[in-house]
Amino acid sequence: MGSMAQKSVLMLCGEFMEAYETIVPLYVLQAFGVSVHCVSPGYKTGDKCVMAAHDLLGLEAYSFSNLSLFSSFLYSELVVDHLTLNANFDEVIPEQYDAIIVPGGRFTELLSTDEKCVSLVARFAELKKLVLTSCHSQLLLAAAGLLTGGMKCTAFESMKPLIELSGGAWWQQAGVQTLLDITDCVTDGNFVSTMGWPTLGHTLRVLLEALGSKISCSKETQPSLLFLIGDCVEDYSINVPFKAFQALGCKVDAVTPNKKKGDKCGTIVHDLENGRRLPTEKIGHNFYVTIAWEDVSVDDYDCIVVPGGRSPELLVMNDNAVGLVKKFVEKEKFVAAIGMGNWLLAATGALKKKRCASGYGTKVAVKVAGGQIVESERCVTDDKLVTAAATSDLPAFLYALSTALGLSVVF
């Protein structure tokens, strides 16, 4: 089930906002019926803001056992794609929203000097509305004078001096040894702050519950999902559902042949630039494998998900990857794919005599594999098969797959 009572969230955007911290909450909230208005000062509905991927470059050696966890590495700022705004900044009425989200990114430096933006965040705070900041956007809290009095706050660690100088109490998750351990955010009253995208699974859960949602499962046990990926997996089609199902309380793992737990898979983002019929491929975030191939047991999972990108072309040439999907099909477990993920499913027999959604890149593969493309639908469920045509269909995909697995989010 989706939302029974409409909730509304304002997302404050700008040039070079962190893509992952923008798209993941946007798509997850939309999946469960929350209205999200994306605005930016000086821009109007239909305008686009460029987004960037922040990830570790490895330019300096670092150790997660250091007392200063984030001070010894530098993150990237790689332009990935654009977000189309769907509302006008000058028409925002804070009283009409339940929360404001400000993703991380350099745009917050500019917005922190914009009196209208600072006043907008302050007004949400005054109304006791939820204020969610991430990575560097806590700069707006400082600019609005909201950290005074020792408010607990976290952020990317370069923000620590500013938060403390502004009267805030710095908070940092204890016991972190690797990037995979960074999971938590901090709540102080109606303020939620996080150091950035690694924490989004838990942060989304906090956000949904703060908006008044009831998350439940009709099954005796919470579903478990295995994501089958490889290098050049599409960034959002792995990150969005992976973090979404974490937020819903599911066990989620990501695996790829020939890599062990903690190894990186490079991701890509497809950006449809003006004047082009096909998107430009750009480097996205790294994604970290959570389980070694030899440790995977099909019986431990209810569903296998094959995200899009170019990784399905790599996986379809790997007999072990093809065989893994076949085992899920043979055991009558749920099988799901996004975009080019159908390319791998076609080779496994999972699409035979099944209705499915397909983008142009997999239409031939679906047809020769015996599948029936539903042209009028961007996301299709047929028994235990759930398919989405493209990354832009992720909100519908999240809703369809969560429903199939017996999960519900009701406000």
Side-chain angles (χ1 to χ4, degrees), residues 11-188:
M11 184 173 286
L12 188 55
C13 305
E15 300 286 3
F16 297 100
M17 56 189 172
E18 213 292 322
Y20 190 0
E21 295 169 24
T22 303
I23 293 297
V24 175
L26 173 62
Y27 281 176
V28 172
L29 290 172
Q30 289 178 334
F32 300 112
V34 178
S35 172
V36 184
H37 286 167
C38 301
V39 301
S40 184
Y43 292 79
K44 61 182 183 301
T45 301
D47 287 345
K48 295 182 178 181
C49 285
V50 67
M51 296 190 290
H54 291 175
D55 209 336
L56 309 187
L57 289 175
L59 295 181
E60 295 185 18
Y62 61 90
S63 168
F64 285 102
S65 62
N66 288 346
L67 292 175
S68 184
L69 177 61
F70 305 115
S71 63
S72 53
F73 62 77
L74 184 63
Y75 61 89
S76 67
E77 185 179 76
L78 303 175
V79 173
V80 286
D81 60 349
H82 301 76
L83 177 74
T84 301
L85 304 176
N86 62 0
N88 296 322
F89 178 85
D90 290 337
E91 297 174 1
V92 168
I93 301 174
E95 288 80 0
Q96 295 180 352
Y97 296 92
D98 298 288
I100 185 171
I101 297 175
V102 190
R106 267 198 301 130
F107 78 102
T108 58
E109 298 173 10
L110 181 62
L111 267 54
S112 68
T113 64
D114 186 313
E115 185 176 333
K116 289 183 178 180
C117 288
V118 174
S119 296
L120 179 65
V121 173
R123 180 58 179 161
F124 270 83
E126 181 183 3
L127 293 169
K128 303 299 182 185
K129 307 275 188 176
L130 180 70
V131 179
L132 173 58
T133 55
S134 178
C135 197
H136 289 77
S137 63
Q138 293 82 346
L139 187 59
L140 281 161
L141 301 182
L146 297 172
L147 294 172
T148 57
M151 188 180 84
K152 287 191 297 183
C153 187
T154 192
F156 193 80
E157 195 172 358
S158 62
M159 293 286 294
K160 180 181 178 181
L162 185 143
I163 287 171
E164 293 180 334
L165 288 169
S166 301
W170 176 256
W171 180 91
Q172 186 167 300
Q173 182 180 340
V176 172
Q177 296 296 316
T178 72
L179 193 66
L180 294 176
D181 297 327
I182 306 173
T183 59
D184 216 348
C185 60
V186 62
T187 301
D188 191 329

Side-chain angles (χ1 to χ4, degrees), residues 228 232 237 270 305-318 321-323 325-326 329 335-352 356-371 373 385-390:
L228 179 54
C232 294
S237 70
H270 287 145
V305 181
V306 184
R310 286 194 292 110
S311 63
E313 293 189 50
L314 175 67
L315 295 170
V316 79
M317 296 185 286
N318 187 296
V322 174
V325 178
K326 284 183 175 180
V329 175
V335 176
I338 303 155
M340 289 299 291
N342 278 340
W343 197 275
L344 178 58
L345 296 195
T348 68
L351 302 180
K352 190 174 183 179
C356 61
S358 175
Y360 58 80
T362 61
K363 284 188 176 182
V364 172
V366 171
K367 289 177 180 177
V368 299
I373 298 172
L385 175 70
V386 180
T387 51

Side-chain angles (χ1 to χ4, degrees), residues 374-395:
V374 183
E375 297 284 359
S376 61
E377 297 182 42
R378 302 294 297 176
C379 183
V380 176
T381 301
D382 187 341
D383 192 22
K384 291 190 173 183
L385 175 70
V386 180
T387 51
T391 300
S392 57
D393 304 307
L394 278 169

